[in-house]
Amino acid sequence: MKLRLKMCSLIKTLNFAMRRIASVTALVVFSGFFADSVNAVVIRVDPVTGAQSIVSSGNNLVNPQGIAVDASGQIFVADPNLGSILPAFTGPGGVLRIDPVTGAQTVVSTGGSFNGPTGIAIEADGSLVTTQVNSVSNSTVVIRVDPLTGTQTPVFQPAGGFNGFDIAVGADGSLVVANWSTPAVFRINPVTGVQTTITTGGSLFQPKNLAIEADGDILVATGILGAVTRIDPVSGVQTVVTPGSSGTAGSDGIAVESSGDILLAGYRPTGGSSILGIFRVDPITGAEAVVSSGGLFSSFGLRPKGIALEADGSILVTAFGGLDPAPFPAPVPLPAAVWLFGSGLLGLIGIAKKRKGA
């Protein structure tokens, strides 16, 4: 009887120990998977050679999306998960300032009215304007941020849900926002926050990213097809620049070079598959050419997101990814000592059973 009680106690202890070891092992594997496999970076791309170099990575960058450059060359990034501790993407999001030379990061603003900002643009006076995807009624979609103090000022708060992924500042100073779910493009008065519809429907299929051409025309890139549509800011007339490609193309960022050429960050079809990178689109013919691919985009699986231009024409891209191709990390075997201990215990159990039978 005493031996039986001791064996039951030992079995309970082993079960508890095994659960603890399995939990710790799983935690180490999971944490290591994210620490080693997830990358969040800002990349500089040479517009001529396509050469890539990392400006800033990690630290406060979790899931960088929109990017903008102010008159002094400082880089601002909207990160919807700023403040998160991996692997949980639960931070309120916010805006980062990044030094273009050293890559040093400074949190400009977080928390407050933020609930996952994705788009960012800079007004004439240097103020930052951000937008966020939020389908909750009566939630703030457009927020103005003081770049020095980080003070947030709500600008646009729709009565219903509004999926505003990106924002741009129009030639007249008005704010331009695309609603992914409607789909439509709106003008927001920067002072009153009054919303005016510019265009809706037509060739707009899940409009995602925005850019303004030199003449004031609005360019809209769709996230899934990778199409680009030009919109007259007054009449709302739509003109397709490039139709994209169903299933093998997508755009996560759009910008306009001083030459008028259009830059897209995303993926495009090639040889029956698709490649990640930066692509240049002729604004008249819609012809496309690869500016930069491979390198960081293929070696680490980084997907280009937001895109902006520096004064010298260099291309800045936010990128996130680098996940292991497998959806989950490979299982890691428990230490040999654990199995040895378990085997020994099973042997003891067998002996105990024999003695009981005898």
Side-chain angles (χ1 to χ4, degrees):
M1 176 64 71
K2 291 183 178 179
L3 178 60
R4 183 178 179 183
L5 291 174
K6 288 182 179 179
M7 291 304 301
C8 289
S9 177
L10 185 59
I11 291 172
K12 290 180 179 179
T13 301
L14 178 62
N15 286 336
F16 176 77
M18 291 290 281
R19 287 197 299 269
R20 294 286 293 179
I21 291 171
S23 299
V24 171
T25 303
L27 179 61
V28 170
V29 172
F30 197 57
S31 299
F33 170 67
F34 273 90
D36 295 338
S37 302
V38 176
N39 299 284
V41 300
V42 173
I43 301 171
R44 180 176 285 116
V45 176
D46 186 294
V48 178
T49 66
Q52 307 165 6
S53 60
I54 294 178
V55 177
S56 188
S57 64
N59 197 10
N60 290 299
L61 289 171
V62 180
N63 180 17
Q65 298 286 329
I67 184 170
V69 181
D70 72 5
S72 67
Q74 292 293 298
I75 303 166
F76 293 89
V77 173
D79 191 322
N81 300 114
L82 177 67
S84 298
I85 298 177
L86 293 176
F89 293 86
T90 57
V95 174
L96 286 174
R97 179 190 295 107
I98 297 177
D99 187 286
V101 178
T102 66
Q105 303 173 11
T106 303
V107 176
V108 177
S109 186
T110 187
S113 297
F114 282 142
N115 187 27
T118 53
I120 188 168
I122 301 177
E123 296 180 292
D125 65 356
S127 296
L128 310 175
V129 280
T130 66
T131 186
Q132 52 195 14
V133 176
N134 199 328
S135 58
V136 181
S137 297
N138 298 313
S139 61
T140 303
V141 170
V142 177
I143 302 169
R144 180 175 288 112
V145 178
D146 185 301
L148 299 179
T149 66
T151 301
Q152 303 174 12
T153 304
V155 177
F156 173 55
Q157 185 174 350
F162 194 105
N163 291 321
F165 194 89
D166 197 16
I167 188 169
V169 178
D172 60 355
S174 62
L175 307 179
V176 180
V177 179
N179 190 344
W180 170 286
S181 56
T182 302
V185 175
F186 299 94
R187 180 182 294 106
I188 308 296
N189 185 297
V191 178
T192 66
V194 173
Q195 169 189 330
T196 305
T197 301
I198 298 175
T199 188
T200 184
S203 61
L204 297 178
F205 178 72
Q206 295 184 336
K208 187 176 182 181
N209 298 95
L210 300 162
I212 307 296
E213 294 185 290
D215 62 0
D217 282 350
I218 303 165
L219 294 174
V220 182
T222 59
I224 295 180
L225 299 179
V228 175
T229 300
R230 177 178 290 113
I231 299 172
D232 185 294
V234 178
S235 67
V237 172
Q238 303 176 17
T239 304
V240 175
V241 178
T242 177
S245 178
S246 177
T248 57
S251 300
D252 287 297
I254 185 171
V256 181
E257 294 182 291
S258 58
S259 64
D261 286 340
I262 302 167
L263 294 174
L264 294 176
Y267 57 100
R268 317 302 278 182
T270 177
S273 59
S274 60
I275 58 172
L276 296 168
I278 308 302
F279 308 89
R280 181 174 286 117
V281 179
D282 186 292
I284 300 175
T285 66
E288 300 182 13
V290 178
V291 176
S292 183
S293 64
L296 294 169
F297 298 133
S298 61
S299 298
F300 295 94
L302 293 173
R303 175 168 173 170
K305 292 290 185 178
I307 186 170
L309 293 166
E310 295 183 288
D312 65 356
S314 295
I315 304 167
L316 292 173
V317 185
T318 57
F320 167 82
L323 293 174
D324 191 303
F328 301 100
V332 176
L334 292 173
V338 175
W339 294 117
L340 182 61
F341 179 58
S343 299
L345 181 63
L346 289 175
L348 289 174
I349 293 173
I351 292 173
K353 286 184 176 180
K354 283 186 176 181
R355 289 183 177 179
K356 182 181 178 181

